[in-house]
Amino acid sequence: MEYRNLGASGLKVPVLSFGTGTFGGQGPLFSAWGRSGTDEARRLVDICLDAGVNLFDSADVYSNGASEEILGAAIKGRRDKVLISTKMGLPMGEGPLDAGSSRQRLPASVDAALRRLGTDHIDLLQLHAFDAFTPIEEVLSTLDMLVRAGKLRYVGVSNFAGWQLMKSLAIADRHGWPRYVAHQVYYSLLGRDYEWELMPLARDQGVGALVWSPLGWGRLTGKIRRGQPLPQGSRLHATAQFGPPVDDARLYAVVDVLDAIAAETARTVPQVAIAWLLSRPTVSSVIIGARDEAQLRDNLGAVGWSLSADQIKRLDEVSAVMPPYPYYPYRIQEGFARINPLPV
């Protein structure tokens, strides 16, 4: 297993981390993701640790807290061997205090997560979404308080827009509060929007990307083929409406190239798709999920080898989409590109 610094921080993380959204299986979305109970979760954690994957990512909204509870039970007795990342901020109920990142809510949410996880600290806390109703100064000063109390080691965000992240970093610098060192983002061969603004920002500011849904919301598993119906066991039957949309023509074009490279490398389609992500700038770790041991072991096969320059180029070209304004001039007009080239 390769390890990278998480952004500009001193925290070393594995290039593959494990997402525990499959733990618990409560509700229509998370039950479609997976239904791992404590025994199966413990087995998946065992496999991860044996492979050098020691970062486990969760969220309070995953199965209404059950994911964190099962993760806590699965790592019991070996807390010193793992890194725990979790997220909060999305609604956990219908009440006015059941969502957001206010000083009223964050400390209580952190304490609740600590109880569910059975630990006294969280290695990386990420805000699951930008809270437009709470001043950024209030959010950051509260996180500073929680870091100083020893309950959090590092802080990050997820699903922020560029201006939201940059403004937060500037305010943190102004007051000497903890900077966000991680941004958990959607990024895949089917969704490269991260590259347009968030990647240049991350490179400039030292923010590491933790990639969620690296297989395009389950579309790059190797089971979806041109001219064939959606496999009966695919979770897309139940979850497609919750995830990022994908044009079918582009999907099949990407899958065709993935198939060819998988044959050339004697690897699987998911392994090739994840290996491509590991070659991208600013990516600190790719979060893999698995409903069972076979899926996990296959995803773990994405490390220990590399795509060739030609193979990366072919994947780049087939998955490329012209970015919107103001980004496209830097791709297609020489004068723009000469003075400010995009990072990819």
Side-chain angles (χ1 to χ4, degrees):
M1 184 58 58
E2 177 189 351
Y3 298 85
R4 298 175 181 174
N5 283 74
L6 182 57
S9 80
L11 181 62
K12 297 280 188 180
V13 296
V15 294
L16 297 182
S17 46
F18 187 80
T20 64
T22 55
F23 291 1
Q26 297 183 17
L29 175 60
F30 298 110
S31 62
W33 280 7
R35 300 172 180 267
S36 296
T38 300
D39 290 342
E40 184 175 22
R42 188 176 291 112
R43 175 59 180 157
L44 295 175
V45 169
D46 289 344
I47 295 170
C48 284
L49 292 177
D50 286 344
V53 174
N54 66 341
L55 174 59
F56 298 88
D57 180 73
S58 190
D60 56 4
V61 295
Y62 291 174
S63 293
N64 197 32
S67 170
E68 290 179 330
E69 291 178 352
I70 292 172
L71 174 60
I75 64 171
K76 188 174 182 180
R78 45 187 174 175
R79 176 65 179 92
D80 60 333
K81 294 181 172 61
V82 305
L83 298 171
I84 294 177
S85 161
T86 196
K87 303 177 291 296
M88 56 188 58
L90 290 178
M92 290 287 285
E94 299 297 327
L97 300 179
D98 291 334
S101 308
S102 69
R103 185 173 292 118
Q104 177 67 30
R105 184 167 190 263
L106 265 182
S109 297
V110 167
D111 287 344
L114 291 173
R115 287 193 297 270
R116 288 190 292 266
L117 291 162
T119 185
D120 64 352
H121 73 278
I122 294 166
D123 298 291
L124 173 65
L125 178 74
Q126 297 150 102
L127 303 181
H128 215 155
F130 182 72
D131 179 1
F133 296 100
T134 301
I136 294 175
E137 288 84 354
E138 179 178 332
V139 176
L140 291 172
S141 63
T142 304
L143 291 173
D144 177 64
M145 175 185 71
L146 292 166
V147 170
R148 290 176 183 275
K151 296 181 179 183
L152 309 178
R153 295 289 189 264
Y154 294 90
V155 293
V157 296
S158 182
N159 307 313
F160 271 39
W163 75 266
Q164 296 163 351
L165 178 54
M166 189 65 246
K167 186 174 182 179
S168 299
L169 292 169
I171 292 173
D173 287 345
R174 185 184 311 149
H175 294 278
W177 293 330
R179 295 183 107 244
Y180 295 138
V181 299
H183 192 185
Q184 192 167 141
V185 298
Y186 171 58
Y187 188 25
S188 78
L189 281 163
L190 298 177
R192 295 178 58 181
D193 302 27
Y194 168 70
E195 298 172 357
W196 300 343
E197 179 167 303
L198 294 172
M199 180 184 283
L201 189 163
R203 180 180 252 179
D204 179 72
Q205 293 293 312
V207 179
L210 298 177
V211 176
W212 62 262
S213 205
L215 301 181
W217 203 253
R219 293 178 174 90
L220 300 180
T221 60
K223 299 176 182 177
I224 296 179
R225 292 288 188 278
R226 189 189 307 273
Q228 298 181 14
L230 198 64
Q232 186 174 358
S234 172
R235 63 181 174 89
L236 285 168
H237 290 289
T239 66
Q241 70 271 27
F242 300 114
V246 176
D247 175 74
D248 282 348
R250 183 161 170 264
L251 166 62
Y252 295 132
V254 169
V255 170
D256 287 345
V257 176
L258 282 171
D259 272 333
I261 295 176
E264 295 167 10
T265 57
R267 300 287 176 172
T268 66
V269 165
Q271 289 170 355
V272 174
I274 294 171
W276 177 83
L277 282 168
L278 293 177
S279 73
R280 312 309 284 175
T282 75
V283 171
S284 293
S285 186
V286 173
I287 302 171
I288 58 174
R291 285 185 284 185
D292 53 46
E293 182 176 333
Q295 281 186 338
L296 175 56
R297 291 192 183 279
D298 184 72
N299 287 340
L300 290 172
V303 297
W305 62 284
S306 300
L307 294 165
S308 70
D310 174 70
Q311 290 165 343
I312 290 174
K313 180 182 178 183
R314 286 153 59 193
L315 289 169
D316 288 350
E317 290 175 347
V318 74
S319 63
V321 174
M322 185 61 68
Y325 178 82
Y327 311 108
Y328 76 80
Y330 298 95
R331 286 278 174 87
I332 64 173
Q333 297 182 29
E334 181 182 356
F336 282 80
R338 281 181 61 189
I339 62 173
N340 190 8
L342 293 179
V344 292

